[in-house]
Amino acid sequence: MRILLIEDDRIFGETLKDYLKIENIETVWLWDERGLPKIITQYEFDVIVIDLILNFSSGEDIIAVLRKAGIETPIMVITAKKTLNDKEECFLRGADDYLTKPFEFKEFVLRLKALNRRKHLPSVFTIGDVIVNIDAKTIHRGSEEIKISKKAWQLLEFLLKNRGEIVSSEKILNYVWSGKAVGDEIVRAYIKELRKVLPPDSIITYPGRGYKLS
């Protein structure tokens, strides 16, 4: 599980990040907004956590910008603001959860996991005449089972998770190869492997933008 934390309190952010590491949750932490456009395109996040009271911007405005950009990742607000009007404003702009400070870290983790579960893939997908079972890691066309490589599986899971959306090569590289220095040609090679087993035109290439599983 990977979250994006937008929080300008250095001490609180560091403490929270350390606790999440114990819970096996990877945290990408921003304490100003300058890195947001790049990070949001480079990485795939399970949950975005935003403090409302920031020195550099308004948390409410960041939520609105993310939603306007088509980012559908669940958003949790953490803040000292406690009024109903504050909560209503965040939910109207696109937040999914609202936790007021101070809070127990355990509750924070429970809420993160609950938001993450909403994104979980169903077990079985149909792509034309192909049946993909994520849990069993099997692909069938009729009675025939089709085998693919481990990396192709990770790529397929990522495309299914974002089915109907264009995903960039950069996001694919970060998800499948954890940001290791491999080139776009590697992505193209595994896309080609998947195209051999999926129905024609299932994976659409958008030059300069990425790929979409239809």
Side-chain angles (χ1 to χ4, degrees):
M1 184 177 176
R2 179 191 288 152
I3 73 162
L4 172 62
L5 173 64
I6 303 175
E7 167 64 69
D8 62 358
D9 184 325
R10 300 293 187 94
I11 295 175
F12 179 76
E14 194 67 48
T15 303
L16 193 58
K17 185 177 180 180
D18 288 344
Y19 183 84
L20 292 173
K21 185 176 181 180
I22 296 171
E23 295 287 334
N24 295 315
I25 297 174
E26 179 185 351
T27 306
V28 176
W29 175 26
L30 284 180
W31 50 81
D32 65 45
E33 65 180 336
R34 288 173 295 180
L36 182 58
K38 184 177 181 180
I39 283 179
I40 211 68
T41 56
Q42 280 186 332
Y43 292 92
E44 175 75 10
F45 296 103
D46 296 297
V47 181
I48 298 172
V49 179
I50 302 176
D51 191 354
L52 295 184
I53 304 174
L54 301 166
N55 290 325
F56 53 85
S57 184
S58 155
E60 293 92 339
D61 288 344
I62 294 175
I63 295 169
V65 167
L66 290 173
R67 293 306 190 220
K68 187 176 181 180
I71 306 298
E72 298 182 355
T73 306
I75 294 176
M76 180 194 292
V77 168
I78 55 171
T79 182
K81 293 185 176 182
K82 299 182 179 182
T83 72
L84 183 57
N85 286 340
D86 292 326
K87 295 177 182 179
E88 181 180 21
E89 178 68 17
C90 287
F91 285 121
L92 287 174
R93 293 194 182 210
D96 298 278
D97 197 4
Y98 195 106
L99 184 60
T100 55
K101 296 179 178 179
F103 53 77
E104 295 287 340
F105 284 176
K106 184 63 177 178
E107 179 184 358
F108 175 65
V109 170
L110 290 173
R111 287 172 179 259
L112 284 180
K113 291 179 177 179
L115 287 174
N116 187 38
R117 280 197 298 272
R118 298 178 192 176
K119 287 191 66 181
H120 278 183
L121 297 174
S123 298
V124 180
F125 289 87
T126 301
I127 308 171
D129 61 345
V130 172
I131 306 297
V132 180
N133 189 315
I134 294 294
D135 290 342
K137 293 198 179 300
T138 58
I139 302 174
H140 283 89
R141 179 180 288 111
S143 59
E144 175 193 5
E145 182 174 352
I146 304 168
K147 300 291 187 180
I148 61 174
S149 65
K150 182 179 178 180
K151 288 297 184 186
W153 258 113
Q154 289 177 275
L155 174 56
L156 179 58
E157 287 179 0
F158 183 69
L159 292 174
L160 285 168
K161 186 176 183 180
N162 296 278
R163 192 172 187 177
E165 300 177 16
I166 300 172
V167 291
S168 66
S169 295
E170 201 167 23
K171 279 194 172 184
I172 291 171
L173 288 170
N174 276 291
Y175 183 87
V176 179
W177 285 272
S178 300
K180 293 180 181 177
V182 296
D184 288 348
E185 68 277 4
I186 298 295
V187 175
R188 291 194 294 270
Y190 284 98
I191 289 287
K192 184 176 180 180
E193 180 180 349
L194 290 180
R195 281 179 168 147
K196 289 180 179 178
V197 302
L198 298 178
D201 301 321
S202 297
I203 301 176
I204 304 169
T205 301
Y206 291 82
R209 298 178 64 193
Y211 304 90
K212 181 173 75 173
L213 178 63
S214 60

